[in-house]
Amino acid sequence: MMQKSGYMQVSNAPAYDPSGRKCRIIEISIDSGRYAVEASELSKLLLYGRRCQVRHISQHFGKHLGETAGSVSLSFSKKGLILEIFPGHRYMIAKGGVENMLGGYIRYTKISAMHAPESGIHSCNSPTIQSTITPWVAV
């Protein structure tokens, strides 16, 4: 089940990476957190399938990228991006929306939370789950 939990948008101002270099960023706003990913890394992800880092963002006399907060990777079907924010929060972003955003056609795209499907595992007391399996040998 997917539920809208935030958005990703093109930043209107450059940010400074940890080495002090200016870079174009894509801002990520999820629930109560603000993060960023470099636009060039996101483009490489779409072209080559490389994983890219998501960083904390702070605003103190300009935007500054901080420590790594997670990663973005291409989904198995190659139709979406999977955003993982540590410790273990997973989100899905439509690949077409990110491509259109980087191309300048749209300003933002939605982010949906990925919830684990309900487990099909029942308790051990359930008569439908565990039964005694005895090995037998045909003679």
Side-chain angles (χ1 to χ4, degrees), residues 1 114-120:
M1 173 191 269
M114 293 175 60
H115 297 291
E118 293 300 318
S119 177

Side-chain angles (χ1 to χ4, degrees), residues 28 30 54 71-72 81-85 89-91 93 111:
I28 300 169
I30 302 172
V54 176
S71 65
V72 180
L81 302 177
I82 298 176
L83 170 64
E84 294 182 65
I85 301 293
H89 300 286
R90 294 175 56 124
Y91 303 90
I93 310 160
I111 298 175

Side-chain angles (χ1 to χ4, degrees), residues 9 14-15 31 42-43 58 69 76 79-80 87 115:
Q9 72 177 7
D31 301 326
L42 200 54
S43 295
S58 64
F76 184 73
K79 293 181 182 179
H115 297 291

Side-chain angles (χ1 to χ4, degrees), residues 59-117:
Q59 191 153 351
H60 182 68
F61 297 109
K63 295 179 181 178
H64 296 276
L65 300 178
E67 296 179 1
T68 302
S71 65
V72 180
S73 58
L74 207 53
S75 69
F76 184 73
S77 67
K78 310 258 189 287
K79 293 181 182 179
L81 302 177
I82 298 176
L83 170 64
E84 294 182 65
I85 301 293
F86 304 134
H89 300 286
R90 294 175 56 124
Y91 303 90
M92 177 66 83
I93 310 160
K95 182 181 175 187
V98 174
E99 290 171 338
N100 286 333
M101 189 179 55
L102 289 174
Y105 301 112
I106 58 175
R107 289 285 300 161
Y108 70 94
T109 188
K110 292 186 276 185
I111 298 175
S112 300
M114 293 175 60
H115 297 291

Side-chain angles (χ1 to χ4, degrees), residues 3-25:
Q3 177 184 3
K4 182 184 174 211
S5 61
Y7 61 92
M8 177 184 265
Q9 72 177 7
V10 177
S11 179
N12 53 2
Y16 297 96
D17 68 1
S19 63
R21 178 179 58 100
K22 272 188 183 181
C23 58
R24 181 176 167 227
I25 61 167

